[in-house]
């Protein structure tokens, strides 16, 4: 069996105003001397969970590993190396195993990037979000936009060939010209992959509260849609190929780890709050790092809950994930009723006419703007 690994690093120096990921800051954890002290002991726990995975799964080949967060680049390179070695010694690492580390620009220097490379990381994903100072301020990001050029340049110099940036568009107060600046700045970097996400205002975040109180403007959906079209135009012109609703890459630079999620392959999520999926069974770990630690140290499973997907859920997920891909959904996997519902979207140009004729339901550029609406119509 193929089994990808997601390793969650649930720590950040400071929480960004828009983010509701399962991550904790030193003040939330009441740690007085920063996060450096955590690296070693947290990784010990992750390694124990990998032992649990080996006992449960048996033999497997690992095609991808992804250190996500939180801020994985806060960990010591030697500790990241210990995780990779543990997975390598417990399973069979495929020869071309893709091993990604999410990186916040302010947390690394050239030396640390070189150490991550030596540890076995072969793909770096950098949280850029925007190149415009006032947008980063609204997002409540700590990093300096100038650092992006430096960090990606260093990553390239120490030998990383696969470098990605994450962008966010649609931030309140971001003009079309601001977004164009961010697009141009990203395209000037030595990268081969871009993820661009529309800002989601998550309930309970500082951003959501600021909008509620009227201190921050609201999201403008029309402007956000226009920004998606701008991004797709510019990325395509620069040789980045669209391969998932929010992802573009140079040829061969697609993230194989993310593709494993989208194709519903098997993966094990290590760490607090991490989700796993093996053959239609899903489970997720307890969320708080302290409870996770207690469970692991007591030799207990850190799983909080699990579900076995009903066939109808499996089918809904297949539709939701595959409609986001250029290959789309094979028409012969849909009922006559579903195809009838989709016909108006073909007529309006939201679904690609040529692909429809060739047997698949795939989004045109304008259709990508309403992907969720289209898929909702055909969910069972
Ligand atoms: C959880 S972060 C981890 C990476 C790293 N900590 C960083 O922020 O650079 C992964 C990505 O999710 C995206 N993200 C997080 N919250 C989001 C939100 N509310 N709306 C849109 N994108 C979001 C950001 O682009 C971010 O780079
Ligand atoms: S966006 Fe990244 S750096 Fe910011 S709080 Fe979320 S995980 Fe941490």
């Amino acid at each position: 069996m193929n089994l990808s690994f997601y390793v969650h690093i649930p720590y950040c120096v400071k929480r960004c105003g828009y983010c509701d990921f399962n991550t904790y800051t030193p003040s939330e954890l009441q740690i007085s001397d920063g996060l450096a002290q955590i690296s070693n002991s947290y990784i010990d726990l992750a390694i124990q969970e990998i032992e649990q995975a080996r006992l449960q799964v048996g033999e497997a080949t690992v095609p991808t590993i992804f250190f996500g967060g939180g801020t994985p680049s806060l960990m010591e390179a030697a500790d990241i190396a210990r995780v990779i070695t543990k997975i390598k010694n417990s399973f069979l690492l495929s020869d071309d195993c893709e091993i990604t580390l999410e990186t916040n620009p302010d947390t690394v220097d050239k030396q640390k990037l070189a150490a991550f490379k030596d540890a076995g990381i072969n793909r770096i994903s950098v949280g850029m979000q925007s190149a415009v100072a006032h947008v980063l301020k609204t997002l409540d990001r700590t990093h300096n936009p100038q650092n992006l050029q430096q960090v990606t340049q260093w990553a390239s110099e120490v030998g990383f060939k696969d470098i990605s940036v994450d962008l966010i568009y649609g931030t309140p107060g971001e003009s079309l010209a601001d977004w164009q600046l961010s697009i141009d700045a990203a395209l000037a970097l030595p990268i081969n992959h871009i993820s661009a996400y529309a800002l989601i205002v998550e309930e309970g975040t500082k951003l959501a509260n600021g909008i509620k109180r009227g201190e921050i403007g609201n999201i403008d959906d029309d402007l956000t849609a226009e920004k998606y079209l701008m991004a797709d135009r510019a990325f395509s012109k620069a040789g980045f190929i669209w391969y998932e609703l929010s992802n573009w890459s140079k040829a061969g630079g697609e993230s194989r780890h993310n593709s494993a999620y989208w194709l519903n392959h098997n993966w094990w999520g290590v760490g607090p709050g991490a989700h796993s999926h093996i053959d239609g069974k899903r489970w997720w770990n307890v969320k708080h790092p302290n409870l996770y630690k207690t469970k692991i140290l007591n030799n207990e499973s850190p799983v909080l809950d699990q579900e076995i997907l009903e066939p109808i859920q499996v089918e809904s997920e297949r539709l939701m994930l595959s409609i986001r891909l250029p290959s789309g959904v094979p028409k012969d996997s849909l009922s006559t009723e579903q195809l009838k519902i989709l016909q108006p979207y073909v007529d309006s140009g939201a679904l690609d006419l040529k692909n429809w004729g060739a047997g698949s339901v795939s989004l045109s550029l304008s259709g990508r703007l309403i992907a969720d609406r289209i898929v909702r119509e055909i969910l069972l």
Side-chain angles (χ1 to χ4, degrees):
M1 148 171 47
N2 272 355
L3 183 67
S4 287
F5 270 90
Y6 171 79
V7 183
H8 189 60
I9 308 294
Y11 305 110
C12 289
V13 174
K14 178 182 169 282
R15 183 178 285 276
C16 306
Y18 57 91
C19 179
D20 79 340
F21 278 60
N22 189 38
T23 188
Y24 302 82
T25 62
S27 63
E28 283 166 355
L29 294 170
Q30 296 179 338
I31 298 169
S32 50
D33 47 352
L35 292 165
Q37 58 164 325
I38 284 178
S39 181
N40 194 277
S41 56
Y42 175 68
I43 295 298
D44 285 345
L45 306 177
I47 284 174
Q48 284 195 47
E49 191 183 344
I50 295 164
E51 273 165 25
Q52 293 187 4
R54 177 66 178 87
L55 286 174
Q56 187 175 320
V57 175
E59 287 177 11
T61 302
V62 179
T64 65
I65 303 172
F66 192 101
F67 291 89
T71 309
S73 50
L74 284 173
M75 297 289 104
E76 297 297 327
D79 289 322
I80 295 293
R82 288 200 293 136
V83 176
I84 296 171
T85 304
K86 183 71 192 176
I87 296 175
K88 204 187 231 167
N89 292 342
S90 310
F91 301 92
L92 183 68
L93 229 60
S94 69
D95 288 342
D96 58 349
C97 187
E98 175 191 281
I99 311 183
T100 305
L101 184 100
E102 282 188 329
T103 306
N104 282 38
D106 287 346
T107 59
V108 287
D109 54 20
K110 189 171 178 181
Q111 218 178 353
K112 192 159 189 191
L113 285 166
F116 282 137
K117 179 100 192 356
D118 291 344
I121 299 295
N122 55 26
R123 185 171 181 275
I124 288 281
S125 169
V126 189
M128 173 175 180
Q129 321 310 350
S130 167
V132 179
H134 79 85
V135 175
L136 289 169
K137 189 154 182 267
T138 306
L139 290 174
D140 201 16
R141 283 289 285 191
T142 53
H143 79 257
N144 174 343
Q146 273 91 49
N147 288 359
L148 254 299
Q149 173 60 41
Q150 185 69 88
V151 165
T152 49
Q153 191 59 41
W154 283 333
S156 175
E157 282 167 14
V158 303
F160 283 105
K161 304 230 171 339
D162 291 311
I163 306 174
S164 176
V165 291
D166 284 351
L167 289 171
I168 288 182
Y169 59 95
T171 300
E174 181 189 56
S175 66
L176 292 177
D178 290 333
W179 176 232
Q180 188 63 52
L181 270 174
S182 293
I183 291 172
D184 293 343
L187 290 175
L189 300 172
I191 57 172
N192 67 348
H193 188 281
I194 303 173
S195 301
Y197 305 110
L199 178 68
I200 300 168
V201 180
E202 302 284 3
E203 202 47 48
T205 56
K206 220 168 141 186
L207 176 74
N209 295 337
I211 292 176
K212 254 185 219 149
R213 285 197 300 267
E215 293 158 11
I216 301 176
N218 222 324
I219 303 268
D220 180 332
D221 290 335
D222 290 342
L223 210 57
T224 302
E226 180 56 32
K227 287 175 186 170
Y228 182 87
L229 299 177
M230 278 167 70
D232 186 71
R233 245 189 328 262
F235 298 162
S236 308
K237 201 167 152 220
F240 287 78
I241 303 155
W242 170 69
Y243 77 102
E244 196 272 345
L245 205 64
S246 309
N247 290 276
W248 292 258
S249 80
K250 292 267 177 77
E254 300 85 358
S255 157
R256 283 191 286 120
H257 185 84
N258 286 341
S259 299
Y261 294 147
W262 302 326
L263 297 170
N264 225 356
H265 291 172
N266 294 329
W267 76 89
W268 189 293
V270 174
H275 286 234
S276 303
H277 165 260
I278 296 185
D279 296 339
K281 183 176 157 190
R282 281 238 212 93
W283 64 92
W284 49 96
N285 289 347
V286 293
K287 269 186 99 171
H288 200 282
N290 292 346
L291 183 53
Y292 175 79
K293 182 177 178 180
T294 309
K295 297 263 181 195
I296 294 281
L297 292 182
N298 287 339
N299 250 328
E300 290 171 31
S301 157
V303 172
L304 174 65
D305 209 351
Q306 64 168 57
E307 63 179 349
I308 295 178
L309 297 181
E310 299 290 331
I312 193 164
Q313 289 172 295
V314 173
E315 176 57 9
S316 298
E317 290 215 343
R318 179 185 75 91
L319 294 177
M320 285 191 289
L321 293 169
S322 43
I323 197 73
R324 298 171 65 93
L325 305 175
S327 48
V329 182
K331 276 168 81 178
D332 60 11
S333 68
L334 297 176
S335 67
T336 316
E337 185 55 33
Q338 285 171 312
L339 292 174
K340 215 166 115 195
I341 294 170
L342 290 173
Q343 185 62 51
Y345 290 107
V346 183
D347 301 338
S348 70
L351 293 176
D352 187 281
L353 185 60
K354 201 161 139 245
N355 291 345
W356 180 265
S360 72
V361 178
S362 69
L363 300 168
S364 67
L365 180 55
S366 64
R368 285 193 242 158
L369 300 173
I370 52 167
D372 290 344
R373 194 207 307 168
I374 295 177
V375 85
R376 257 200 316 273
E377 294 230 26
I378 54 165
L379 288 183
L380 305 167

